Structures are given as structure tokens and as C-alpha cells.
Amino acid sequence: MLVSAKDMLVKAKEGHYAVGQFNINNLEWTKSILLTAQELNSPVILGVSEGAGKYMTGFSTVAAMVREMDKNLGITVPVALHLDHGTYDGCYKCIEAGFTSIMFDGSHYDIDENVAKTTELVNVAHHLGLSIEAEVGSIGGEEDGVVGMGECADPDECKRIADLGVDMLAAGIGNIHGKYPEGWPGLRFDVLDAIQQKTGVMPLVLHGGTGIPADMIKKAITLGVSKINVNTECQLSFADATRKYVEAGKDLEGKGFDPRKLLAPGSDAIKATVKEKMELFGSVGKA
Ligand code: 13P
């Protein structure tokens, strides 16, 4: 059931668990994530980066695929279709395409411009029933061409953006997209704590979910994180399972080259990763 992310995140914050955002790249990704959410009776957010949207030939293609797949698979758990790290123009394109949620990443603007653009997009999104995520303090690393320096967010700036009425707030707390480098010092819980104290009930978003140790994830949830984004980890599981299939020569046995067979181990691997994360985030049974 396609919905905005607002209610599921309010419930998650109150219930002290987090909803996973899993990024999608194609049909296999989407189907694997939807089926796992349904099986585990968990709410879920499908994240679409601008690069992935382009790859899938446009946001309207993505919205049509997700909407029809949701219906044809009989998905009853809440599913939000969310733009990940959206530009100002990208937000409008996703609104028009029928997404149910957007992220405006204004973290590379100065705070006044971030506030101005976020204010405008909050009004438009809410008028149309979409939820909206904003960002303060960039997430480190690179995701689909979006590069962040990884500075920690200023809690006062977080409060300014939270007060605009956004539904969820991404704040840099030492998190990084992609694999964490050797010697990464870990999440800045002092910064997260200060942000939560300033922003109160606002659901906070932890980007860069790949590779964050389970104890840090659990602690972040106790400090107000209600949405956790995972992208690279599904890609790694998919690639690993596909490599094993090919290296074992399975594509050369019978009709093992049939894409429905060739992509099956990778799809199952995505399902296993999503399940593991939903269990860790505590969203199982919370639909
Ligand atoms: P990872 O690729 O590190 O899991 O990060 C995903 C993310 O934050 C999407 O916005």
C-alpha cells in the first residue's frame, strides 16, 4: 500500500524502532524488498536516487513500476516511494511523477538558502500529501554522484530546519555512504544527542546504514533515529551471490543463463539483507 512516510515514522519514533529505507535500482530490487516487507509485516521505504531514477528511464517509470508491483503482489504493508538526496528540480519531478515522499538535500547550500528552498518544498509536498525529508550537515562519501564532506550537523541549524515542519531530518553525525574506511571513529552520539534535544519528536534519519555495527545502530535508535538508509549492502550481497552462481558455472548448466535464473540468487541475497536489517531496526511486525 503506497503511502507517505509520515505516519510510519511518527509511529517508529514513538515505538523506539526504525523503518528501513532500501534503495532500488531495478525490478529485482523492488520486488525483493516489497516481498520481504510483506513477509515480515514491516513498513518500508523504497529510496530512489536521481542516478537510479535516470537509469530506470525516469521517475515516472519508477512510480508506475512500484505502484503496479505493489498492487499486483498484493502488498498490504505501508510502502513509501521516496526520492533520495533530491535536488530542487528533482523534487518537483518526483512530485509530478507520483512519488509519495521526497528528500530535498539542501546541505550544500548555506543555511539560509537551505531554509528558503526547504520551506517552499514543505508547503508544496504537504499540500499534495507527500512527506518530506531535509538535510543538515552533509553525509560523508559518495552516493550516485552526490558527494558529501561528512561534516557534523549544527544542532541549532537542525532546529531551524525541523521547525519548518519537515517530516524527517537527516543530520550528519560522522556517517558515510558506502563502506566505512579502516579506522573510522564511529558515529558521533554526542552530536546526535544534542540534535535530538533540540528537535524533540522529529524522526531523525541515519544515512550510510551499510556497515554500521549493530550496537551503534541500536544506540542511534535510542537517541531518536527512526529511519535508516541502506543501499551499498544490498548491492554487495547481490554482487556476491551472482558471482558465486557464475563462478560455479551454473549459468552454463541447462537454462541457467535465463535471466530469471541468473538473477535469482542475487535477488534472494537482497531479501536476506533486507530481512536482517528489518530485524535489527526493530520494524518487524510493525506494519
Ligand atoms: P549506504 O550505501 O552506505 O548504505 O547509504 C545509503 C544511503 O544513505 C542512501 O541515502
Side-chain angles (χ1 to χ4, degrees), residues 48-51 53-54 57-64 81-83 86-104 120-121 124 128 130:
V48 182
S49 68
E50 297 211 351
K54 204 168 158 192
T57 75
F59 294 125
S60 58
T61 313
V62 179
L81 176 58
H82 181 71
L83 171 64
T87 58
Y88 178 81
D89 289 343
C91 284
Y92 278 103
K93 284 186 187 150
C94 286
I95 290 169
E96 200 184 323
F99 276 47
T100 61
S101 190
I102 52 172
M103 172 184 188
F104 171 59
E120 177 190 316
L121 285 160
V124 176
L128 296 167
L130 281 79

Side-chain angles (χ1 to χ4, degrees), residues 21-23 47 49 84-85 103 133 135 139-140 142-143 175-180 205-212 227-235:
Q21 172 191 305
F22 301 95
N23 285 51
S49 68
D84 190 26
H85 291 286
M103 172 184 188
E133 173 177 349
E135 178 168 329
I139 316 299
E142 185 262 346
E143 184 183 66
N175 39 338
I176 299 170
H177 287 128
K179 288 182 181 174
Y180 283 84
V205 184
L206 181 61
H207 282 248
T210 296
I212 299 179
K227 171 175 177 279
I228 303 176
N229 293 6
V230 176
N231 184 8
T232 307
E233 207 155 326
C234 288
Q235 300 185 5

Side-chain angles (χ1 to χ4, degrees), residues 90-172:
C91 284
Y92 278 103
K93 284 186 187 150
C94 286
I95 290 169
E96 200 184 323
F99 276 47
T100 61
S101 190
I102 52 172
M103 172 184 188
F104 171 59
D105 181 355
S107 61
H108 45 281
Y109 294 113
D110 68 49
I111 186 67
D112 290 328
E113 190 161 3
N114 192 357
V115 166
K117 288 191 160 66
T118 302
T119 304
E120 177 190 316
L121 285 160
V122 166
N123 290 335
V124 176
H126 286 174
H127 180 68
L128 296 167
L130 281 79
S131 47
I132 176 165
E133 173 177 349
E135 178 168 329
V136 181
S138 72
I139 316 299
E142 185 262 346
E143 184 183 66
D144 246 342
V146 179
V147 179
M149 300 314 287
E151 72 266 19
C152 279
D154 171 349
D156 289 314
E157 290 187 357
C158 289
K159 180 165 168 46
R160 259 185 92 184
I161 296 275
D163 286 349
L164 304 176
V166 298
D167 301 288
M168 54 201 126
L169 180 69

Side-chain angles (χ1 to χ4, degrees), residues 20-37:
Q21 172 191 305
F22 301 95
N23 285 51
I24 59 171
N25 293 287
N26 60 17
L27 181 144
E28 277 71 24
W29 249 257
T30 312
K31 189 173 161 187
S32 301
I33 297 164
L34 286 178
L35 287 173
T36 308

